Amino acid sequence: MSHSLVTMSYIVATILFIFSLSGLSNQETARRGNYYGMLGMAIAIIATALSASVTSYAILIVALLIGGAIGAKAALKIEMTQMPELVAIMHSLVGMAAVLVGYANFMDASTTLSGVEKNIHEVEIYIGILIGAVTFSGSVIAFGKLSERISGKPMLLPGRHWLNLGLLIAAVILGRMFLQQTETGGGTLPLLLMTVIALAFGIHMVMAIGGADMPVVVSMLNSYSGWAAAATGFMLSNDLLIVTGALVGSSGAILSYIMCRAMNRNFISVIAGGFGTSGGEAAVIEGEVTPISAEDTAQLLLDAKNIMIIPGYGMAVAQAQHTVNEITKLLRDKGKKVGFGIHPVAGRMPGHMNVLLAEAKVPYDIVYEMDEINEDWGHVDVSIVIGANDIVNPSALDDPNSPIAGMPVLECWKGETTVVLKRSMASGYAGVGNPLFVLENTRMLFGDANATMQAVLKALKG
């Protein structure tokens, strides 16, 4: 394939990627956005494979078959509840790719660059490996936290911000040494030392983050993976990788900023690491809970006119979204007004609950963001909280020592009655007790969310 045809294919792929991002901004067009993205990637792969820069087709085919098989197996095997950790581990692969490409470029003896061009190329290598290493180690730790292989509690080392600053200064000094030594054919030692420092920084940055803020971490690592891909594009002189990486990096950063604003977090503290933590002890929750049966819950719903359902990670674990949709249909057929309240960080990755509800075919027009409904709780007769804790926690508003202090939450306790579905009285992912559970107008429906919702559905039909 000629160079001009490859360039044209890359332009078409870039346009499709832009259409993909645009489509993903809305639930109703998200499926079409995914199709645009898949088509763009297919064009990019084919154009690259047929370009003059590719000669080892046997190796390429084997790599495509292995990667395709792993991707297909993951897509078929991974449950929706495991999507956050899958996204995190995929980000780590992008980071590792950037590191490996950087070292391959550094050790490539066939490079004939000289002067300023050589210096620019070496800076690209250094920055690409730096970003890739941070992305790789940070994403692996995020995977461990999201899959609960590592505790969700923040690991706060003494003087952690000074440690981060020291690692950054060391990376800059090593970069200067790297550029000086490459002029005489060296540079391996400072590059290796920087890689170790970058890996340590990625680990420390994510380990210092509390569980309540992990959705922001996922979007931030998504941004890092985009910049790692862009750095790889510069090293390989591949325009499509540069543009695609910039699209992913900038969109991930914008999403992180939006989520930080929704959680009342500081964007700079996200980049620095160690956010979502507080210096004091959260208040102890005192009081007795009031349990309720599935039959009584069904009667509450039948007596109500305005019902709001708040899904959380517990609904994803129990795979209760389809049962919830059946209940929604039945109640709407009876003339009830039913809506879904979605917190920006419900679940463990951005848009987690929206995807679950779309999978169950819940109508888009009854799914509301937090800002759309937080002023209307006084008109809600019954709120059903399904496996959520931190996003409906009043202590975020009135306990300054809480790890989630200042985070806007769905203020469902302002409605007439709140029914909370939980397996037990255990705290949520952030490890914070919830005073909502002991309020006078709160009822606790214990058990597996899908089983209890099935019981409520049966009672509604009976």
Side-chain angles (χ1 to χ4, degrees):
M1 184 180 287
S2 66
H3 178 72
S4 59
L5 190 54
V6 170
T7 302
M8 181 61 68
S9 300
Y10 282 176
I11 292 173
V12 172
T14 300
I15 293 171
L16 287 170
F17 291 149
I18 294 172
F19 283 163
S20 177
L21 286 174
S22 176
L24 292 173
S25 64
N26 188 288
Q27 293 180 82
E28 297 179 0
T29 59
R31 187 183 297 272
R32 186 166 67 242
N34 274 315
Y35 289 148
Y36 285 141
M38 288 187 286
L39 179 59
M41 185 56 66
I43 292 173
I45 292 173
I46 293 171
T48 303
L50 297 178
S51 67
S53 59
V54 177
T55 55
S56 303
Y57 284 100
I59 297 175
L60 177 63
I61 291 171
V62 171
L64 288 173
L65 289 174
I66 293 173
I70 293 172
K73 184 177 180 180
L76 293 170
K77 183 180 178 182
I78 297 299
E79 301 288 344
M80 279 305 303
T81 53
Q82 299 172 303
M83 284 302 295
E85 53 257 45
L86 176 66
V87 170
I89 204 67
M90 290 300 181
H91 289 160
S92 75
L93 297 180
V94 178
M96 178 53 69
V99 172
L100 294 176
V101 169
Y103 273 98
N105 270 262
F106 174 68
M107 294 184 290
D108 186 4
S110 64
T111 303
T112 58
L113 299 176
S114 60
V116 176
E117 288 185 346
K118 184 175 184 295
N119 289 335
I120 292 174
H121 185 62
E122 287 161 355
V123 170
E124 291 170 354
I125 290 174
Y126 191 84
I127 294 176
I129 293 175
L130 174 64
I131 298 173
V134 172
T135 303
F136 172 73
S137 60
S139 298
V140 170
I141 298 300
F143 167 79
K145 285 200 169 194
L146 290 165
S147 61
E148 298 184 1
R149 290 173 170 85
I150 300 175
S151 172
K153 294 182 178 180
M155 183 190 74
L156 304 180
L157 298 178
R160 64 186 186 280
H161 296 303
W162 289 108
L163 175 60
N164 287 339
L165 181 61
L167 293 175
L168 177 61
I169 293 173
V172 173
I173 293 173
L174 288 170
R176 179 181 176 83
M177 293 173 58
F178 171 73
L179 292 176
Q180 290 173 340
Q181 293 181 20
T182 51
E183 294 179 0
T184 57
T188 302
L189 181 59
L191 190 61
L192 287 171
L193 290 175
M194 179 276 292
T195 305
V196 173
I197 287 174
L199 291 170
F201 178 79
I203 293 171
H204 179 242
M205 178 183 68
V206 181
M207 285 297 294
I209 293 170
D213 295 316
M214 285 308 293
V216 184
V217 176
V218 173
S219 64
M220 200 65 219
L221 289 172
N222 179 49
S223 178
Y224 289 169
S225 70
W227 300 124
T232 304
F234 278 109
M235 286 185 277
L236 299 176
S237 299
N238 187 298
D239 295 336
L240 182 62
L241 261 180
I242 295 171
V243 174
T244 305
L247 285 172
V248 174
S250 57
S251 61
I254 292 169
L255 176 60
S256 299
Y257 174 77
I258 292 171
M259 295 182 70
C260 285
R261 188 173 61 183
M263 296 176 67
N264 195 32
R265 302 296 190 212
N266 185 284
F267 185 65
I268 301 300
S269 67
V270 178
I271 300 172
F275 61 103
T277 60
S278 63
E281 292 291 330
V284 177
I285 308 304
E286 297 179 350
E288 296 293 327
V289 300
T290 305
I292 192 174
S293 66
E295 291 74 19
D296 290 340
T297 301
Q299 190 58 52
L300 273 177
L301 294 174
L302 290 173
D303 294 339
K305 293 181 179 179
N306 193 349
I307 300 162
M308 188 63 66
I309 300 172
I310 303 172
Y313 186 70
M315 187 183 80
V317 172
Q319 291 290 289
Q321 62 268 25
H322 297 285
T323 305
V324 171
N325 186 41
E326 289 185 53
I327 292 174
T328 301
K329 287 180 180 177
L330 191 151
L331 291 172
R332 295 184 79 194
D333 289 342
K334 292 180 179 293
K336 313 294 183 183
K337 182 181 178 182
V338 183
F340 286 80
I342 306 295
H343 193 280
V345 295
R348 295 188 183 174
M349 66 178 288
H352 198 178
M353 294 301 106
N354 300 79
V355 172
L356 283 176
L357 296 178
E359 179 195 13
K361 300 188 177 353
V362 172
Y364 297 131
D365 59 348
I366 65 170
V367 178
Y368 304 100
E369 299 297 329
M370 177 179 65
D371 293 339
E372 297 179 283
I373 61 171
N374 246 1
E375 299 297 325
D376 299 326
W377 289 109
H379 304 294
V380 175
D381 300 311
V382 178
S383 302
I384 305 291
V385 180
I386 308 176
N389 184 78
D390 305 322
I391 62 173
V392 291
N393 195 330
S395 66
L397 305 181
D398 54 32
D399 182 5
N401 290 324
S402 173
I404 59 173
M407 184 179 89
V409 292
L410 291 160
E411 301 170 13
C412 58
W413 58 88
K414 294 181 178 179
E416 186 173 334
T417 304
T418 302
V419 178
V420 180
L421 277 70
K422 281 182 69 70
R423 289 178 181 270
S424 67
M425 286 300 296
S427 59
Y429 189 54
V432 184
N434 194 339
L436 171 69
F437 303 157
V438 297
L439 295 180
E440 290 184 4
N441 63 337
T442 299
R443 302 291 180 267
M444 302 296 297
L445 181 56
F446 292 108
D448 176 82
N450 192 38
T452 50
M453 284 286 93
Q454 288 282 1
V456 170
L457 178 61
K458 181 179 179 181
L460 287 171
K461 290 179 177 178

